[in-house]
Amino acid sequence: NTVKVDKTSPDDPTDVSSTSHTTSVWSNDPTVDVEWSGASDNLSGIAGYSFEWDTNPSTVPNQDPEGLVSSTTSPSLSDGDSHYFHLSTVDNAGNWTSTAHVGPFFIDTEAPSTPVTIPVGGDYTSDQSVTIESSDSEGSLLDKIYYTTDGSTPSNTNGTVYTEAITVDHSLTLKAVAYDNAGTVTYASLALDG
C-alpha cells in the first residue's frame, strides 16, 4: 500500500477578474461577473473553490467548496464603493490557499434628480435666460447635463453639454438629461415660450 501525503497549499488562481466591471470605477449594474483561472496544485490536484462577496477587503471565505467552477455572478449589490470578491482554492487533500481578493467595486443605481429649469416652463413676454439644474448627492455624484432645443431626445452622444444659461428667444421645447458618474440617467422635457 502506498500512502500519499499532501501538506502543501495549492496556488491561488493567477487571474481573478471581473468581465463586467472595472475596480474603483462607478457602475449602475448591481451584479458583478467574475472569472478566474490558473490555480494549481502539483500533488493532489485542485478540488474546488469557496468564494464570498462583502464590504471587507480581506475576508477569508468559509471552507465550503463550490466545486470546480471558474466563474460566478454576485448577488444584487447595494449602492456603495466597497464591494469585494474573495476566492479561496482547496486541493484534494483539504489544503486551502491564502485567498485572492478583488475590488473594490463601486455600485450606484440611484439616478440623479430630474433636471429642472429656472425659470420653469411656461409663456413669457420677453427673452429668458434659462438655467438647468440637477443633483446627485449620493454615490457617484452628478457628471453632466445634456440638452436639446429641437425636440429630439438628448443623450451623451446627441445633445449639448450644459455649461451656462441658455437664452430662449422663441417657442421651443427644451429637453434635458442628467448623467451621474455611474451612467445612470434622468430625463426631463419642458416647453418654454420666450
Side-chain angles (χ1 to χ4, degrees), residues 115-116 132-135 142-147 160-163 175-179:
V116 295
I132 308 172
E133 294 182 355
S134 176
S135 64
L142 186 68
D143 179 24
K144 289 181 179 69
I145 298 172
Y146 296 84
Y147 71 93
T160 303
V161 176
Y162 174 76
T163 56
K175 292 186 176 183
V177 59
Y179 283 78

Side-chain angles (χ1 to χ4, degrees), residues 42-134:
N42 293 330
L43 296 173
S44 61
I46 300 298
Y49 304 92
S50 181
F51 44 83
E52 186 171 338
W53 292 90
D54 67 10
T55 57
N56 182 329
S58 57
T59 295
V60 175
N62 62 34
Q63 295 182 349
D64 184 17
E66 300 284 340
L68 289 172
V69 296
S70 61
S71 65
T72 190
T73 299
S74 74
S76 185
L77 302 173
S78 61
D79 286 4
D81 60 1
S82 60
H83 296 287
Y84 292 87
F85 175 71
H86 314 282
L87 177 71
S88 294
T89 308
V90 65
D91 64 19
N92 285 295
N95 301 304
W96 287 86
T97 61
S98 58
T99 302
H101 309 279
V102 181
F105 295 103
F106 293 2
I107 306 297
D108 180 5
T109 59
E110 293 293 323
S113 65
T114 301
V116 295
T117 59
I118 300 171
V120 297
D123 292 328
Y124 295 91
T125 58
S126 61
D127 293 352
Q128 297 294 308
S129 180
V130 178
T131 59
I132 308 172
E133 294 182 355
S134 176

Side-chain angles (χ1 to χ4, degrees), residues 19 24 26 28-29 33 37 41 65 75 82 87 92 96 109 125 133 138 141 152 158 166 168 173 185 194:
T19 57
S24 301
W26 288 102
N28 59 22
D29 178 356
D33 301 325
S37 62
D41 185 86
S82 60
L87 177 71
N92 285 295
W96 287 86
T109 59
T125 58
E133 294 182 355
E138 299 290 328
L141 304 178
S152 63
N158 174 44
I166 306 160
V168 175
T173 297
V185 299

